[in-house]
């Protein structure tokens, strides 16, 4: 099957091509689901693009799309489901929802926006099989999941006992393979575990009440493990003290704790709060951005807050328990999970008239605009925590259109306006920078060499947008989206459902850890390790994963 | 004589407790559980070397193709089908949802009454819950509300109380608030201190306990048959516990919704100063997994109707009994056990366990294999977090629910 996309302006920052700036148009050729060098061969289908903007399919590296916490959120927020009924289209009647859309709606809505790959950033090992089953029911998207590690009692015990790094590496490798994970996520390092022992806060150098292990030790040990195992994506860190005024110092200290090793700080907006002003809540975006700019080993995503009703769902039960009084509507779910992790689900409505919410909105945008390198910052709302992913087109316009941004700012809580630099920031993102943030850079930081670009060999995941000065309108509707070379969205409407794949990382590790894992599961967890482990055949209805072999790991 | 094969670490999908350490002997078509096994699993795993029943249409022997075609015809002409029972593994649940999407229909599980009683608390206020491994290792005070659950979950206390928990130490206490623990429970709880407070109204006792934990003394001398001083002492114990857990079976009592609500409120209050969680019992025949799948596929839990490419949920209207009043076709699916369909005047398509005894001959009967015996599958444990892979123990001669349903839906 050969397809030809004719006469598009190709925006492919990974390969240094910017047809939007140069005005040059060219064809893109697809053979059997991959992009190939142009030929004179007859194509099975040709699409005239007439100068439309052609980009690789979008990649979201941090969006909560599957796993038990999302179902708890659905259960708790039936209001959301009722308010947003099924999408039109003769597919399956498979639900709706906005803050917590169903699997079907997630796949379709993302596809409409031109996204073709999304990573679930908080898969709990105990729940991994369920998360994979759910991901298999998401159409049109390739997925993958980051395994939550660091708060599990096995790991805390290893550290408390002074285990050698090799032992930790073997454990991490075993867990990644057993849960079919793509990367390692740390959520509130040690804090979730400490909450089970009734600690209510956990700072970077605070000791776990039972194990005596500090978050710093958790972080540095797992950074080393990921590095030595050769896992492409660095540690994906949800740091200490999420949402706490004054957590800026912790965030800065966390960056320094890496000692130059790679680290990805996720939903940085929630970790950039100072305590200045009469409300003891202020923006530290400038301080934090300066540190990010100065440290090329650090990458971040923002977790932009968008106004309206959403629901927050996190493995950080300690923080979610602290915030449950703010729930709107007033209900929440928390859960300690299997000596492994936890979760907290709290509905939340971000209000533009609220000082704190308005400032959170501004802090996110300040970070976007003050972090200079578009290859190290990623466009996220931490869906659904800061807001649903369906708000991305609006967010893109806020980044690209200063007048629009300032007009929005002028409508917000007055005190918040006075506490942000946002109005003075003149930067406007270019289309190329948006393509970097949403395509090229995530592919690079995830180690996906055949995604996020449009060169020969790339997976033919392609989004075609008609250029529009109103960037929100432009990114709300894609003219065409191709998934593995199949046309799945036409003129903004999903026309076909494609089955995605699940990306997993496969490091080599010392398999002598197996015996110890069996003993641990038998004695402590009360589940057989062999049943915890997910086989390849369990993924994607038997299709199995797409395996990314990790280079440089210890064998 | 076929050789006897011993299979270890077999996972069990029946009661929702998720035991996965069973030893099973297989001899040709025969299956028998050895140890460790509860009576329920022993009964449901046991298979004799008998031929499987064949499909029937209107009581007459039929080929599977004929039965499939007859089922499709009935569904094509149906006005309001109910797809009930739903004792299926995850693949079967997915196929059942596809069937509802293809032909329309209400989806409910035969054991969902307890689930929805728990939702009275979980959906209105939320709750703070915990899972099996946390109970095993952290729980130093377990409050069991209602009847002794050992009759339904034969190995519950064995699973809850291992010999060497990581943290809970030697002073583990179990308080039965309701009926007395039976001999089995006491045996499994030999390492813990067991206390029984007899009560015929545990809701009243729980409510008073919640007030006492909050530091107030409710007016009255006794609550649910338990003296105020006894409850005050228990409240003090709960406050001093490191990790208290409250467990109950909402299905067993008409006021199960109130038990869930009061237990939730109690645990909520405890967490202000210490740690605690609820552990609601349930989970029979993968009801939790089916419910999970409905939530991610349709956005609603069980008791949801799919019609005209859209779904609506109503916990009352679409409960099996109520929905049957409006239904003209019942698709009854029960693969884990020979659970017969409820009385129903309309047409019945049964995808049933081969040992099912019917009061009334179904219009179409397609016998199906059992997940974890005849074919592999996945089921969720009652805590909704952990799921287990079930393996096949013998060569299947019957289709799985997923296979049978897909043939009907895809024709």
């Amino acid at each position: 099957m050969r397809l030809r996309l004719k006469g598009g302006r190709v925006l492919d920052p990974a390969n240094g091509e910017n047809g939007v700036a140069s005005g040059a148009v060219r064809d893109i050729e697809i053979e059997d689901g991959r992009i190939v060098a142009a030929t004179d061969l007859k194509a099975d289908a040709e699409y005239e693009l007439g100068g439309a903007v052609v980009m690789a399919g979008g990649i979201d590296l941090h969006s909560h799309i599957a796993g038990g916490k999302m179902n708890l959120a659905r259960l708790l927020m039936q209001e959301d489901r009722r308010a947003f009924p099924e999408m039109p289209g003769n597919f399956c009647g498979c639900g709706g929802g906005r803050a917590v859309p169903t699997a079907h709606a997630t796949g379709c809505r993302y596809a409409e926006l031109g996204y073709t790959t999304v990573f679930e950033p908080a898969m709990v090992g105990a729940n991994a099989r369920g998360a994979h089953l759910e991901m298999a029911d998401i159409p049109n998207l390739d997925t993958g999941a980051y395994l939550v590690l660091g708060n599990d009692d096995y790991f805390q015990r290893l550290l408390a006992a002074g285990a050698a790094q090799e032992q930790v590496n073997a454990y991490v490798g075993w867990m990644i393979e057993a849960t079919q994970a793509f990367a390692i996520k740390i959520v509130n390092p040690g804090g979730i575990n400490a909450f089970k022992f009734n600690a209510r806060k956990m700072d970077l150098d605070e000791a776990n009440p039972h194990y005596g292990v500090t978050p710093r030790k958790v972080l540095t040990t797992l950074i080393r493990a990921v590095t030595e195992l050769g896992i492409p994506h660095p540690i994906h860190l949800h740091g200490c003290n999420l949402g706490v005024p004054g957590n800026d110092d912790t965030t800065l200290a966390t960056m320094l704790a890496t000692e130059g090793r790679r680290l990805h700080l996720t939903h940085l907006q929630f970790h950039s709060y100072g305590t200045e002003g009469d409300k003891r809540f202020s923006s530290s975006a400038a301080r934090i951005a300066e540190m990010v700019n100065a440290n090329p080993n650090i990458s971040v995503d923002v977790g932009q807050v968008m106004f309206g009703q959403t629901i927050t769902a996190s493995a950080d039960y300690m923080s979610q328990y602290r915030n449950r009084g703010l729930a709107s509507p007033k209900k929440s779910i928390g859960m300690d999970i299997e000596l492994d992790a936890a979760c907290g689900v709290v509905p939340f409505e971000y209000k533009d008239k609220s000082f704190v919410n308005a400032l959170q909105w501004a802090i996110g945008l300040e970070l976007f605009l003050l972090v200079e390198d578009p290859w190290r910052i990623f466009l996220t709302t931490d869906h659904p925590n800061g807001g649903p992913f369906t708000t991305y087109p609006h967010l893109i316009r806020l980044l690209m259109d200063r007048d629009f941004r300032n007009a929005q700012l002028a409508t917000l809580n007055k005190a918040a306006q006075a506490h942000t630099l946002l109005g003075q920031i003149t930067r406007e993102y270019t289309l190329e920078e948006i393509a970097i943030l949403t395509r090229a850079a995530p592919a690079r930081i995830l180690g996906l060499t055949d995604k996020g670009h449009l060169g020969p060999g790339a997976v033919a995941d392609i989004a075609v947008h008609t250029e529009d000065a109103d960037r929100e309108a432009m990114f709300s509707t894609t003219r065409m989206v191709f998934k593995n070379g199949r046309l799945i969205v036409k003129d903004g409407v999903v026309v076909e459902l494609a089955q995605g794949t699940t990306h997993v990382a496969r490091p080599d590790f010392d398999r002598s850890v197996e015996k110890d894992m069996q003993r641990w599961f038998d004695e402590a967890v009360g589940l057989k390790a062999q049943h915890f482990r997910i086989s390849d055949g369990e993924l994607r209805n038997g299709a199995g994963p797409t395996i990314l072999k990790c280079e440089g790991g210890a064998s | 004589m076929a050789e006897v094969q011993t299979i270890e670490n077999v996972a069990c999908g029946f009661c929702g407790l998720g035991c996965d350490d069973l030893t099973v002997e297989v001899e040709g078509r025969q299956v028998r559980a050895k140890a460790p096994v509860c009576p329920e699993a022993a009964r449901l795993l046991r298979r004799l070397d008998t031929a499987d029943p064949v499909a029937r249409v209107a009581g007459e022997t039929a080929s599977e193709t004929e039965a499939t075609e007859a089922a499709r015809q009935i569904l094509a002409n149906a006005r309001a089908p109910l797809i009930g029972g739903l004792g299926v593994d995850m693949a079967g649940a997915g196929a059942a949802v596809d069937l509802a999407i293809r032909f329309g229909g209400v989806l409910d599980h035969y054991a969902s009454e307890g689930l929805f009683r728990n939702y009275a608390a979980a959906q209105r206020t939320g709750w703070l819950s915990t899972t099996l491994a946390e109970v095993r290792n952290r729980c130093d005070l377990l409050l069991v509300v209602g009847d002794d659950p050992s009759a339904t979950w034969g190995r519950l206390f064995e699973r809850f109380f291992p010999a060497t928990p990581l943290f809970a130490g030697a002073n583990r206490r179990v308080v039965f608030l309701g009926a007395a623990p039976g001999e089995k429970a006491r045996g499994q709880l030999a390492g813990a201190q067991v206390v029984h407070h007899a009560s015929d109204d545990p809701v009243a006792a729980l409510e008073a306990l919640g007030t006492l934990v909050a530091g107030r003394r409710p007016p009255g001398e006794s609550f649910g048959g338990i003296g105020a001083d006894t409850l005050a002492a228990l409240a003090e114990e709960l406050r001093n516990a490191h990790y208290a857990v409250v467990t109950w079976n909402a299905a067993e009592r008409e006021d199960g919704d109130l038990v869930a609500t009061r237990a939730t409120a109690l645990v909520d209050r405890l967490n202000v100063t210490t740690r605690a969680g609820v552990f609601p019992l349930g989970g029979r025949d993968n009801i939790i997994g089916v419910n999970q799948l409905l939530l991610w596929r349709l956005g609603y839990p069980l008791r949801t109707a799919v019609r005209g490419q859209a779904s609506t949920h109503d916990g009352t209207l679409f409960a099996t009994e109520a929905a049957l009043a409006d239904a003209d076709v019942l698709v009854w699916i029960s693969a884990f056990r020979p659970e017969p369909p409820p009385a129903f005047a309309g047409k019945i398509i049964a995808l049933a366990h081969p040992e099912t005894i019917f009061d009334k001959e179904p219009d179409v009967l397609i016998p199906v294999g059992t997940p974890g015996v005849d074919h592999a599958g996945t089921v969720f444990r009652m805590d909704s977090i952990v799921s287990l892979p079930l393996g096949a123990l013998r060569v299947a001669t019957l289709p799985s629910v997923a296979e049978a349903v897909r043939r009907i839906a895809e024709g």
Side-chain angles (χ1 to χ4, degrees):
Chain A
M1 186 76 174
R2 186 175 297 272
L3 303 178
R4 197 168 284 120
L5 277 53
K6 292 178 71 69
R9 285 185 294 153
V10 175
L11 185 51
D12 185 11
N15 291 310
E17 185 173 6
N18 189 345
V20 176
S22 69
V25 295
R26 72 168 176 95
D27 299 348
I28 285 186
E29 198 158 316
I30 300 164
E31 189 183 0
D32 297 333
R34 291 206 177 242
I35 294 171
V36 294
T39 69
D40 295 330
L41 297 170
K42 184 173 164 32
D44 297 283
E46 289 192 347
Y47 299 89
E48 291 290 344
L49 302 187
V53 180
V54 184
M55 296 190 289
I59 302 171
D60 194 340
L61 92 172
H62 189 106
S63 176
H64 299 281
I65 53 170
K69 64 192 176 304
M70 301 321 290
N71 260 352
L72 289 174
R74 291 182 186 111
L75 182 67
L76 198 61
M77 280 294 283
Q78 294 278 291
E79 301 93 324
D80 177 65
R81 172 65 182 81
R82 286 203 170 87
F84 296 91
E86 281 78 1
M87 308 175 60
N90 191 27
F91 294 117
C92 74
C94 281
R98 179 175 179 268
V100 265
T102 56
H104 178 86
T106 299
C108 291
R109 295 278 186 216
Y110 258 117
E112 285 176 349
L113 300 180
Y115 279 77
T116 52
T117 306
V118 180
F119 284 82
E120 161 56 53
M123 179 173 75
V124 173
N127 184 238
R129 180 173 281 108
H132 282 296
L133 283 173
E134 188 174 345
M135 281 191 277
D137 281 341
I138 299 175
N140 293 338
L141 296 180
D142 294 342
T143 62
Y146 313 153
L147 176 68
V148 174
L149 219 58
N151 282 284
D152 48 302
D153 288 282
Y154 186 93
F155 178 69
Q156 289 279 333
R157 279 160 67 97
L158 277 184
L159 293 197
Q165 183 71 38
E166 291 72 25
Q167 227 178 320
V168 173
N169 296 357
Y171 168 63
V172 173
W174 190 91
M175 284 294 285
I176 286 183
E177 186 178 282
T179 62
Q180 301 278 2
F182 186 80
I184 295 296
K185 165 83 168 292
I186 312 177
V187 178
N188 187 354
I192 305 172
N193 185 287
F195 185 48
K196 292 177 184 177
F197 295 101
N198 204 23
R200 302 294 166 130
K201 62 176 271 295
M202 195 75 174
D203 215 336
L204 192 61
D205 292 304
E206 215 164 326
N208 178 293
H210 181 79
Y211 296 104
V213 173
T214 64
R216 182 188 295 274
K217 181 71 176 167
V218 170
L219 178 63
T220 53
T221 306
L222 284 176
I223 286 177
R224 264 191 75 184
V226 160
T227 308
E228 291 176 15
L229 287 166
I231 295 162
H233 190 52
I235 283 290
H236 198 93
L237 177 71
H238 157 148
C240 307
N241 296 328
L242 177 134
V244 177
N247 62 13
D248 52 348
D249 286 338
T250 311
T251 305
L252 294 169
T254 302
M255 290 191 224
L256 290 173
T258 61
E259 294 172 340
R261 288 195 174 91
R262 293 169 72 221
L263 176 68
H264 180 87
L265 291 135
T266 194
H267 42 68
L268 189 62
Q269 181 278 133
F270 290 107
H271 302 272
S272 302
Y273 303 154
T275 53
E276 289 171 14
D278 50 4
K279 293 191 164 64
R280 310 292 294 158
F281 181 75
S282 58
S283 170
S284 280
R287 272 180 89 196
I288 303 276
E290 189 183 2
M291 184 71 117
V292 174
N293 289 337
N295 288 277
N297 58 313
I298 300 292
S299 60
V300 303
D301 64 81
V302 171
Q304 176 66 33
V305 155
M306 304 297 269
F307 299 116
Q309 177 70 56
T310 193
I311 185 159
T312 66
S314 171
D316 193 349
Y317 189 10
M318 178 186 258
S319 294
Q320 292 291 76
Y321 183 80
R322 190 169 50 229
N323 292 332
R324 65 202 286 270
L326 304 171
S328 175
K330 289 224 165 296
K331 50 186 179 181
S332 62
I333 288 179
M335 194 175 204
D336 291 316
I337 299 174
E338 289 295 282
L339 305 177
D340 188 346
C343 77
V345 177
V346 183
F348 198 83
E349 187 182 358
Y350 293 102
K351 295 179 176 151
D352 56 3
K353 301 302 178 216
S354 146
F355 170 76
V356 171
N357 298 165
L359 198 52
Q360 285 179 306
W361 178 89
I363 292 167
L365 292 174
E366 286 174 355
L367 287 169
F368 268 119
L369 297 164
L370 295 172
V371 170
E372 289 158 3
D373 182 359
W375 290 89
R376 292 196 285 120
I377 187 165
F378 303 90
L379 190 143
T380 64
T381 55
D382 187 15
H383 164 83
N385 293 324
F389 68 81
T390 43
T391 59
Y392 283 2
H394 183 78
L395 173 55
I396 289 172
R397 186 170 181 197
L398 289 169
L399 298 177
M400 296 188 74
D401 184 340
R402 188 195 173 201
D403 291 342
F404 177 72
R405 183 165 71 226
N406 284 344
Q408 297 290 306
L409 177 63
T411 67
L412 305 187
N413 175 287
K414 296 287 179 241
Q417 288 183 47
H419 282 76
T420 173
L421 304 166
L422 193 59
Q424 290 116 60
I425 302 176
T426 56
R427 183 177 174 190
E428 291 180 331
Y429 270 76
T430 63
L431 269 181
E432 185 180 34
E433 286 177 322
I434 294 295
I436 293 170
L437 256 63
T438 58
R439 275 93 175 147
R444 190 164 86 175
I445 202 160
L446 293 165
L448 299 172
T449 54
D450 58 2
K451 289 199 164 181
H453 72 95
L454 296 170
V459 170
D461 288 0
I462 300 170
V464 180
H465 287 275
T466 305
E467 189 156 4
D468 188 327
D470 176 347
R471 301 308 194 184
E472 183 169 353
M474 176 176 171
F475 283 96
S476 293
T477 309
T478 43
R479 187 158 153 185
M480 291 177 203
V481 180
F482 295 85
K483 180 86 200 77
N484 293 106
R486 281 170 63 190
L487 183 67
I488 57 168
V489 176
K490 190 163 181 296
D491 298 327
V493 178
V494 175
V495 292
E496 200 182 332
L497 300 180
Q499 171 74 272
T501 189
T502 300
H503 291 281
V504 306
R506 252 331 130 70
D508 286 330
F509 59 91
D510 180 355
R511 290 186 180 272
S512 65
V513 72
E514 181 74 41
K515 269 206 171 111
D516 203 37
M517 295 314 299
Q518 286 176 10
R519 191 163 49 238
W520 167 257
F521 275 93
D522 276 349
E523 293 173 6
V525 182
L527 176 79
K528 294 286 171 190
Q530 73 189 69
H531 297 139
F532 177 82
R533 180 185 275 281
I534 302 165
S535 68
D536 286 357
E538 290 185 71
L539 266 59
R540 293 277 173 186
N541 301 310
T546 296
I547 294 171
L548 184 65
K549 187 93 182 89
C550 299
E551 304 293 338
S555 53
Chain B
M1 223 30 197
E3 195 183 333
V4 178
Q5 217 189 333
T6 302
I7 306 174
E8 292 183 338
N9 296 335
V10 170
C12 172
F14 298 113
C15 82
L17 192 51
C19 301
D20 68 338
D21 57 349
L22 278 57
T23 300
V24 172
E25 282 185 357
V26 180
E27 187 177 1
R29 304 276 308 145
Q30 290 186 48
V31 177
R32 52 186 176 266
K34 295 293 284 180
V37 67
C38 68
E40 174 100 326
R43 178 173 71 82
L44 291 169
L45 279 168
R46 185 167 177 78
R47 292 294 190 281
L48 302 175
D49 186 11
T50 52
D52 286 319
V54 295
R56 294 201 299 264
V57 175
E60 300 293 323
T61 296
S63 72
E64 214 174 284
T65 309
E66 289 165 339
T68 299
E69 183 56 36
R72 191 184 307 127
Q73 282 300 325
I74 290 171
L75 281 167
N77 294 321
R79 181 182 43 81
L82 167 70
I83 301 168
L86 288 185
V88 288
D89 61 352
M90 296 308 286
V97 171
D98 289 341
L99 193 72
I101 288 162
R102 170 91 155 76
F103 295 104
V106 169
L107 293 152
D108 192 22
H109 191 285
Y110 81 94
S112 59
E113 193 58 42
L115 187 77
F116 280 90
R117 284 177 183 155
N118 284 331
Y119 280 175
Q123 283 189 311
R124 281 180 208 156
T125 63
W127 64 21
L128 306 174
S129 66
T130 191
T131 68
L132 181 62
E134 301 290 355
V135 180
R136 282 168 67 86
N137 293 289
R138 283 182 217 284
C139 176
D140 53 352
L141 177 51
L142 178 69
L143 188 59
V144 184
V145 181
D147 291 342
D148 176 1
S150 306
T152 307
W153 295 276
R155 296 176 65 195
L156 179 70
F157 293 116
E158 174 200 331
R159 304 288 308 284
F160 270 4
F161 290 87
T164 52
L166 291 176
F167 317 112
N171 299 315
R172 307 189 82 175
R173 283 170 63 81
V174 184
V175 177
F176 285 83
L177 198 71
E183 204 174 313
K184 184 195 281 178
R186 286 194 181 273
Q188 290 175 0
L189 291 168
Q193 191 188 340
V194 177
V195 178
H196 172 222
H197 298 309
S199 173
D200 52 6
D201 186 0
V203 172
L206 268 180
E207 189 169 2
L209 205 49
T211 306
L212 287 159
V213 163
R216 299 189 302 277
R217 180 109 182 175
E221 290 308 309
S222 93
F223 303 89
I226 307 173
D229 289 345
T230 305
L231 285 173
L234 179 55
E236 196 54 25
E237 272 187 65
L238 285 163
R239 282 152 58 113
N240 291 331
H242 292 292
Y243 200 97
V245 174
V246 185
T247 192
W248 69 91
N249 173 14
E252 79 186 4
R253 303 176 60 92
E254 290 269 327
D255 60 359
D257 55 341
L258 296 177
V259 174
T261 304
R262 303 285 185 268
T264 295
L266 173 64
V267 163
D268 220 45
R269 189 64 191 76
L270 284 170
N271 273 292
V272 174
T273 52
T274 182
R275 291 307 321 281
V278 297
F279 191 98
L281 299 167
R284 162 179 286 223
D285 297 347
N286 197 34
I287 180 174
I288 298 296
V290 178
N291 194 58
Q292 290 282 328
L293 183 126
L294 256 73
L295 279 165
W296 80 59
R297 286 208 48 192
L298 302 177
Y300 293 127
L302 287 158
R303 299 184 172 175
T304 286
V306 186
R307 287 189 191 118
Q309 300 289 313
S311 47
T312 46
H313 167 69
D314 191 314
T316 306
L317 200 60
F318 300 137
T320 297
E321 200 181 344
L324 277 179
D326 293 326
D328 59 343
V329 172
L330 168 62
V331 181
W332 182 256
I333 306 177
S334 180
F336 284 103
R337 69 183 72 218
E339 185 75 19
F344 179 56
K347 288 191 182 299
I348 298 179
I349 299 164
L351 282 74
H353 189 286
E355 292 166 19
T356 310
I357 296 167
F358 295 91
D359 290 339
K360 182 182 109 176
E361 175 68 28
D363 295 270
V364 177
L365 169 65
I366 301 175
V368 291
T370 302
V373 175
D374 296 304
H375 59 86
T378 306
V379 290
F380 272 71
R381 220 165 64 181
M382 67 172 75
D383 54 33
S384 82
I385 294 297
V386 175
S387 52
L388 286 166
L390 304 177
L393 298 174
R394 60 178 191 171
V395 177
T397 56
L398 296 175
S400 68
V401 168
E403 288 164 345
V405 171
R406 290 208 190 284
R407 280 178 210 153
I408 296 170
E410 288 169 4

